[in-house]
Amino acid sequence: QGAVSGDPFRARTRGHIDCPHFRAALNWVSDLAVASARSLESGSSTVRDAMCDLFQRFGRLYRLSTEECRFLERQVDTLSRTPMPVVLQHGDPGIWNVLVRETGVTFLDWEAGERAGLPLWDLFYLARSFGSWMFRLRGHHDSLESAKHNFFHLSAFNRFLKKIIDLYCVRVGLRRELARPLFFVCWMHRALKETTRLTPDLLMNGHYINLLRLSIANHDAPGMRHMLDSEEKP
């Protein structure tokens, strides 16, 4: 980190939706996906087995309601049987891993990178971290409250993300209807990664399991329909 020139993202951003550094970071994530996207049939054992393993490991660690489990199972099933590209995934594109340079932005910390990662996950994670920072700069420190505003409510942030997701899907060759299941499975995956930092008695208090459950509970909220669906449901 000391060998790469640039300023920490959080020291340069003003925390507004029109922040040029945030937009540069989103473009960087999208460009990476476009440059690395390759076709891989989701029906093949590679993706299908990965999705099934992810869901099974999650089920062994977390205890959700029957309705929540069924909802997640439907998202996993959709991704398991629908063809989609895989991309080079950074794996941890939070704004704390972004340096602002004269020529744009640079992402640090590639230890969680995946050669055959799932599309949109980096973009969702980056958007969540920036949205949380926006709220923090305004004196609000509850990251779940920021998710409610940014993802579930119709807001400038939500409307902006829809445009970014639309363009990402076109450029990467991803079916737009897969944005919805990818969103939920992204947080399921993050909750699994978070287990390495939590003791068993604290698992259900983790940030990502709570973000996932909150997202499931609000899956049909106006902001979610606008952001995740190619056409809003009537």
Side-chain angles (χ1 to χ4, degrees):
Q1 183 171 349
V4 181
S5 63
D7 300 321
F9 181 96
R10 288 180 287 192
R12 293 287 299 274
T13 184
R14 292 180 297 169
H16 295 296
I17 188 60
D18 60 351
C19 172
H21 310 308
F22 176 50
R23 299 195 178 207
L26 288 170
N27 289 336
W28 188 97
V29 165
S30 298
D31 290 345
L32 176 67
V34 172
S36 61
R38 56 191 176 90
S39 297
L40 186 65
E41 292 294 322
S42 291
S44 70
S45 60
T46 303
V47 175
R48 184 179 64 247
D49 291 351
M51 286 291 101
C52 291
D53 178 67
L54 186 68
F55 186 61
Q56 289 171 5
R57 286 191 291 126
F58 180 85
R60 288 195 294 267
L61 291 169
Y62 290 102
R63 293 293 177 261
L64 302 186
S65 70
T66 301
E67 293 76 14
E68 289 170 330
C69 287
R70 287 175 178 169
F71 180 90
L72 278 179
E73 188 173 18
R74 291 196 296 272
Q75 313 312 307
V76 169
D77 180 65
T78 296
L79 296 179
S80 297
R81 57 184 172 77
T82 309
M84 65 177 166
V86 293
V87 301
L88 175 60
Q89 182 182 335
H90 180 281
D92 190 18
I95 58 175
W96 50 86
N97 280 330
V98 182
L99 290 180
V100 177
R101 312 177 71 184
E102 290 184 5
T103 55
V105 296
T106 294
F107 279 72
L108 307 172
D109 190 4
W110 285 81
E111 65 181 16
E114 293 283 347
R115 291 182 181 273
L118 291 187
L120 283 175
W121 278 12
D122 277 350
L123 190 146
F124 289 145
Y125 191 76
L126 175 62
R128 186 214 62 83
S129 70
F130 181 74
S132 181
W133 187 248
M134 286 174 60
F135 258 54
R136 184 176 291 269
L137 290 178
R138 288 155 181 73
H140 306 290
H141 297 277
D142 188 332
S143 57
L144 290 178
E145 283 299 318
S146 74
K148 290 180 184 178
H149 177 79
N150 294 326
F151 292 144
F152 309 151
H153 297 226
L154 280 174
S155 63
F157 190 84
N158 183 280
R159 290 184 174 93
F160 172 68
L161 279 184
K162 175 181 173 57
K163 294 178 181 178
I164 296 297
I165 293 170
D166 286 345
L167 181 59
Y168 181 107
C169 290
V170 170
R171 296 183 66 204
V172 174
L174 175 69
R175 293 172 60 174
R176 184 59 173 82
E177 61 267 27
L178 293 181
R180 175 170 280 271
L182 282 167
F183 182 85
F184 296 100
V185 177
C186 175
W187 308 130
M188 184 178 76
H189 177 253
R190 283 286 161 185
L192 272 176
K193 296 190 70 173
E194 194 175 32
T195 60
T196 62
R197 304 193 301 272
L198 299 173
T199 55
D201 58 309
L202 294 178
L203 278 184
M204 295 305 294
N205 291 323
H207 171 73
Y208 289 106
I209 185 62
N210 282 306
L211 176 58
L212 173 61
R213 299 185 76 185
L214 195 62
S215 298
I216 293 173
N218 290 274
H219 71 92
D220 206 32
M224 294 285 268
R225 293 200 308 267
H226 181 77
M227 179 179 68
L228 297 178
D229 297 331
S230 53
E231 293 184 3
E232 290 189 52
K233 300 175 184 177

